Amino acid sequence: MYKKFLLFIVFPFNLIFAQNQDQIRLANEYYQQGDTEKAKSLYDELAENPYNVQLIAGNYLTLLKTIGGYEQAENFLKKSIRSFPANMQFQAQLAGIYQESDQLDKLDNYIKNLRKISGSNPFQLSILAQYLANEQLYSEAILFLKDSRKVRDNPTVHALELASIYRMVDDKPSMIEEYLNYASDSPNRLSYIKNLLQSFIQEEEELDELENTLIRKMQENPEDTKFAELLLWVELQRKNFYGAFVQARAIDKRNEKPGDRSMDIGRIALENEAYEDAEEIFEYVASQYAGSRNYQYAKRLWMESKEQKIKNTYPIKNEEIRELASQYQSLHDELYPSQTSFNALRSKALLHAFYLDEINIAAGLLNQLVTNPRAGIQLISQSKLDLGDIYLLKGEPWEATLLYSQVEKTYKSHPLGYDAKLRNARLHYFTGNFSLAKGHLDILKKNTTREISNDAISLGMLITDNTALDTTDLVMKEFADIELLIFQNKKTEANARLSQMLTDYMHHSITDEVFWLKSKLELEAGNAENAIDYLNKILASYSYDILADDAAFKKAEIFERHLEDIEQAKTYYQQFLIDYPGSMFAAEARKRFRRLRGDFIN
C-alpha cells in the first residue's frame, strides 16, 4: 500500500512537470518567432505556478517590457520575490522596471530599502550591484559597491568592477582612479592595468587626467614606486622620453640602483631615434654612476647616440664627424683593454673610412683589432669584414672577397657568416657579375636573419627586374657602378651619373630605381624638397611598381622628420594606409599616424 501511495504521488507530479516543460518550450518558440500574443498567453498561464517562474522570467519580462506591460511585470516580480526571497536578480529586475516605467520615486525608495536590508552583507551588496549594472542602473550599482567596500573596510576592493561601470558612464577620472586603486594592491597588476588604460584612454585630456592622478598618488604614497612606474610608462606612450627619464631617475635613486631604469629609457629613446634624449640620458648615467656596472655600457651608448644624431642630421658635417672620432679614441684609451674600448676603436675606424675619406688611417686601426687576440674572435671577424669594405673603397675587390670568404667559412651558420655572404654578393653586383651575385642571394633568402634575407631579396629582385630583357646588362652595370660610387662616398659624381642615366635611359625599367637613389642623395645633401620631387616622380609614373610604397612612406617621413610639417605628415601617412594597406610599412605608418594625431599608443 505504501509503495502504491508513493507511485500515486510521483506519477502525477512527473506528468505535470513534463506538461509544463512542453508549454514552456512552446511559449519560447512563439517568443522567438515574434508571435507576441500567443507567447504572452502561455507565459501568463505558466506564471501562476511558482515552479515555472525562474524558467520563464527572462523572456517573459522582456516581452512585457516590449509591449509596455510594466504593471504586470512589476506584479510578476513582486510575486516572484515573495516565492524566492534570496533571488537577487529578481530584486534588481524590479528596480529596472521602476526605472524603465519612469517611476523614479518608487525606484528611489526601493533602492534605499534594498540598501538597508543588505547593508551588513558585503557579498549580497556586491551581487546586487552586478545585477543592477545589468539593468543599466549604473549609479545604483556604484552605491552598492561602495557600501560593500565600506562594510569590508577595504578602500580598494571592487576597484575593477567600479572602473568598468565608470567606463560605461564615460566618467574617465573616476575610472582612472579605480584602475589605480586596483594597481596599488600589487605590483604584479601593473602590466594588466597598462593594457586596460591603453585600450580605454585615447584623448590628450584623458592622458592629462591620468598624469595628474598619478602625481597625486605619488605625493600621497611617496615610498610606493608603482605610481612612478605608471607615470614613466605614460610618458613613454607620449614619446616624451625625457619625462620618462625624470621618473626613471627618481626610481633608481629610491631603489638605490646605478641607473638601471634610466638605461632602459635611454635604450628605448635610441631605438625610437630620439637621439638627443638618449645622449642626455646615457651621459647622466655615465657621470652619475662612474665605476658602476652600467658605466661602460652607458659610455658606449652615449657615443652611439651622438653618432646616430650626427649621421642623421643632413647635410652631415665633417667637423662633427672628426670630433666624434676623437671622442671614440678617448673612450678607447680610457677603457682599454675592455670590449667597449675595442668597439670604440672599430667605430672610429669606420668614421675615418666612410666619412672622412681617410682610408689608410681606418685600415691601420682595423688591423690593430684583427691582430689583437684580446678583442675576441667575433669582433676580429667583424673587423675583417670592415677591412674587406675598405678594400672595396680602394678599388681592390679581390682582396675584399678574400676577407669576406674567410669570415663566411669560419661562421657558416651564424649571422656573421650570412653577413659575409651578403657582402660577397654585393661585391659581385658592384663588379657586374650578376649571375654570381644572384647565386649568393638565392641562398641568403632562406635560413638567415630577417634583415639579411630582406636585403638579399631586395637586391635579387633589382638584378632580375633589370636584366631579364637586357641581354647586354649595360644599364644594370652602369647603375651598379653608381651604387659603388655611393658606397665609396663619391656622391657628387654618383649624382651626376644618375642624372645622365635619366637622359640616356629614361624609359628603361630601372628608371624608378634611379629616382629613388636621386631622392636619397638629395635628402643626404640637405635638400628635402628635391628629395620629395623625385619620390613624387615614382608615385606618378610607377605607382604599380615595387618602390611605390617605399616612396609613399618615405615622403611622409620626410615631412615628419626633416621638414617638421606634422599636418602634412599626418595626411601622407593616412593616405599611405589607404593606398598600401598590405605594405610591410603599414604597421609603422599606422603607429606614426596615431602618434602624430595624439593617440595613446604603445
Side-chain angles (χ1 to χ4, degrees):
M1 287 293 293
Y2 178 71
K3 290 180 180 178
K4 288 181 180 178
F5 179 72
L6 279 178
L7 184 62
F8 176 77
I9 293 173
V10 171
F11 179 73
F13 177 81
N14 286 341
L15 182 61
I16 292 167
F17 178 77
Q19 289 174 340
N20 283 350
Q21 287 294 102
D22 288 340
Q23 281 188 296
I24 291 170
R25 193 177 298 111
L26 183 59
N28 288 341
E29 286 179 10
Y30 285 138
Y31 172 78
Q32 289 164 3
Q33 293 166 3
D35 195 336
T36 305
E37 187 176 340
K38 288 182 180 178
K40 183 178 180 302
S41 176
L42 278 173
Y43 283 137
D44 286 345
E45 184 181 337
L46 289 163
E48 295 300 320
N49 187 340
Y51 295 108
N52 298 326
V53 164
Q54 296 188 87
L55 299 174
I56 67 169
N59 287 350
Y60 189 33
L61 285 171
T62 303
L63 186 151
L64 290 174
K65 287 190 282 188
T66 301
I67 64 175
Y70 293 112
E71 185 177 350
Q72 190 174 351
E74 180 182 346
N75 292 333
F76 169 75
L77 283 168
K78 284 179 176 178
K79 182 179 175 182
S80 300
I81 290 168
R82 286 195 295 272
S83 299
F84 303 96
N87 189 313
M88 288 176 274
Q89 186 174 13
F90 287 155
Q91 295 169 2
Q93 286 173 328
L94 181 55
I97 291 296
Y98 290 144
Q99 171 77 11
E100 287 196 41
S101 60
D102 208 25
Q103 301 180 72
L104 300 184
D105 288 339
K106 267 190 177 182
L107 173 64
D108 188 47
N109 291 329
Y110 179 68
I111 290 295
K112 285 179 181 176
N113 187 54
L114 209 53
R115 287 177 73 191
K116 185 177 179 181
I117 293 169
S118 310
S120 60
N121 188 333
F123 173 76
Q124 189 170 332
L125 286 165
S126 60
I127 296 298
L128 277 168
Q130 179 182 327
Y131 285 130
L132 288 167
N134 291 342
E135 296 296 317
Q136 297 182 24
L137 292 165
Y138 299 123
S139 299
E140 291 75 9
I142 290 169
L143 288 174
F144 277 76
L145 287 173
K146 287 187 172 180
D147 286 347
S148 177
R149 177 180 277 181
K150 186 175 180 182
V151 172
R152 293 174 192 265
D153 193 26
N154 184 339
T156 61
V157 72
H158 303 309
L160 276 186
E161 297 98 311
L162 282 164
S164 180
I165 294 172
Y166 284 127
R167 178 173 57 83
M168 291 177 189
V169 298
D170 201 31
D171 184 350
K172 292 293 176 65
S174 298
M175 178 195 77
I176 290 168
E177 183 77 29
E178 292 300 340
Y179 279 141
L180 297 184
N181 281 339
Y182 180 73
S184 67
D185 275 352
S186 169
N188 297 327
R189 295 173 174 176
L190 282 180
S191 294
Y192 179 61
I193 290 301
K194 288 174 185 178
N195 289 334
L196 289 173
L197 291 171
Q198 189 172 341
S199 298
F200 301 136
I201 292 182
Q202 301 293 336
E203 304 299 329
E204 186 64 28
E205 57 268 23
E206 294 167 358
L207 280 174
D208 291 339
E209 180 67 38
L210 175 57
E211 183 176 31
N212 292 335
T213 305
L214 284 168
I215 291 170
R216 174 171 55 78
K217 292 275 189 184
M218 287 167 58
Q219 291 169 344
E220 293 169 356
N221 307 276
E223 299 305 313
D224 192 340
T225 60
K226 289 190 294 292
F227 300 117
E229 286 283 359
L230 278 170
L231 186 55
L232 180 157
W233 174 76
V234 169
E235 299 301 350
L236 285 179
Q237 310 316 301
R238 287 173 150 167
K239 304 295 180 185
N240 179 8
F241 300 110
Y242 189 83
F245 163 58
V246 169
Q247 298 306 319
R249 186 173 60 191
I251 291 169
D252 285 334
K253 287 181 178 177
R254 192 175 295 119
N255 294 336
E256 297 182 352
K257 300 291 185 182
D260 291 3
R261 292 297 282 128
S262 298
M263 290 292 291
D264 291 339
I265 304 307
R267 284 191 292 270
I268 293 170
L270 184 56
E271 288 167 8
N272 282 269
E273 301 174 15
Y275 301 125
E276 289 189 5
D277 288 334
E279 184 181 346
E280 189 164 352
I281 293 166
F282 293 128
E283 180 184 11
Y284 164 81
V285 175
S287 59
Q288 191 71 22
Y289 299 104
S292 74
R293 63 173 181 270
N294 285 324
Y295 175 70
Q296 287 197 23
Y297 193 31
K299 290 280 281 190
R300 176 182 165 187
L301 292 181
W302 179 13
M303 290 300 299
E304 186 179 332
S305 302
K306 285 183 181 182
E307 181 173 346
Q308 291 302 321
K309 182 178 74 173
I310 291 169
K311 286 182 177 179
N312 287 278
T313 303
Y314 301 128
I316 296 171
K317 297 176 181 176
N318 270 15
E319 60 271 21
E320 291 182 352
I321 293 289
R322 195 166 294 282
E323 174 62 24
L324 189 63
S326 174
Q327 290 172 354
Y328 271 126
Q329 182 65 53
S330 298
L331 182 61
H332 170 265
D333 295 344
E334 177 193 354
L335 299 178
Y336 185 82
S338 70
Q339 199 65 26
T340 299
S341 73
F342 296 128
N343 277 301
L345 198 64
R346 174 176 175 253
S347 296
K348 173 180 166 64
L350 296 179
L351 293 176
H352 284 291
F354 291 98
Y355 290 89
L356 298 175
D357 197 25
E358 295 171 348
I359 296 173
N360 291 333
I361 293 175
L365 294 171
L366 290 170
N367 277 313
Q368 285 182 42
L369 289 171
V370 168
T371 56
N372 188 340
R374 286 182 171 184
I377 185 170
Q378 194 158 325
L379 185 58
I380 288 171
S381 296
Q382 183 66 65
S383 300
K384 284 184 178 180
L385 293 181
D386 298 330
L387 272 171
D389 288 347
I390 286 176
Y391 281 119
L392 261 185
L393 293 179
K394 295 166 71 173
E396 299 178 30
W398 295 113
E399 295 294 332
T401 197
L402 262 176
L403 287 168
Y404 295 155
S405 298
Q406 282 180 24
V407 176
E408 186 182 341
K409 186 177 179 181
T410 305
Y411 290 92
K412 286 183 179 178
S413 299
H414 185 278
L416 208 53
Y418 304 146
D419 188 10
K421 184 178 281 291
L422 181 63
R423 295 190 196 211
N424 249 330
R426 185 187 60 188
L427 182 150
H428 294 310
Y429 164 71
F430 284 153
T431 55
N433 195 339
F434 301 129
S435 59
L436 193 53
K438 278 277 290 169
H440 285 290
L441 295 170
D442 288 341
I443 295 170
L444 287 169
K445 290 176 185 178
K446 304 172 185 178
N447 303 322
T448 61
T449 66
R450 179 183 296 181
E451 184 179 356
I452 288 175
S453 176
N454 287 341
D455 287 346
I457 291 169
S458 179
L459 183 54
M461 289 180 67
L462 173 66
I463 294 170
T464 301
D465 290 350
N466 296 290
T467 57
L469 301 176
D470 187 349
T471 55
T472 65
D473 293 340
L474 181 64
V475 177
M476 187 76 255
K477 286 178 179 177
E478 173 64 9
F479 188 80
D481 250 3
I482 293 170
E483 288 221 86
L484 178 58
L485 287 174
I486 293 172
F487 179 78
Q488 294 170 332
N489 209 27
K490 299 174 181 177
K491 294 179 180 177
T492 303
E493 183 183 348
N495 210 355
R497 285 177 65 175
L498 283 170
S499 296
Q500 189 61 47
M501 278 194 78
L502 289 175
T503 301
D504 296 342
Y505 310 110
M506 185 60 194
H507 300 295
H508 193 277
S509 60
I510 207 166
T511 303
D512 58 333
E513 298 284 353
V514 176
F515 286 147
W516 179 254
L517 275 190
K518 290 280 287 182
S519 175
K520 181 182 177 182
L521 292 175
E522 290 291 350
L523 185 62
E524 290 176 359
N527 304 320
E529 296 285 359
N530 291 349
I532 289 172
D533 287 342
Y534 284 109
L535 296 175
N536 284 336
K537 291 178 189 295
I538 296 172
L539 295 170
S541 302
Y542 299 90
S543 58
Y544 55 86
D545 219 325
I546 193 168
L547 283 176
D549 61 327
D550 299 66
F553 183 81
K554 192 66 179 179
K555 180 178 176 180
E557 184 177 73
I558 291 172
F559 274 107
E560 178 193 2
R561 299 187 174 182
H562 299 277
L563 298 177
E564 298 181 353
D565 188 335
I566 301 305
E567 290 306 312
Q568 284 283 66
K570 279 196 297 185
T571 298
Y572 287 119
Y573 280 131
Q574 188 173 32
Q575 189 61 46
F576 177 91
L577 292 169
I578 295 168
D579 294 341
Y580 307 101
S583 167
M584 63 182 293
F585 301 112
E588 182 64 21
R590 186 175 294 106
K591 184 177 177 181
R592 292 188 186 187
F593 171 72
R594 291 182 61 200
R595 186 182 71 243
L596 293 177
R597 192 174 61 181
D599 291 358
F600 190 40
I601 61 173
N602 210 345

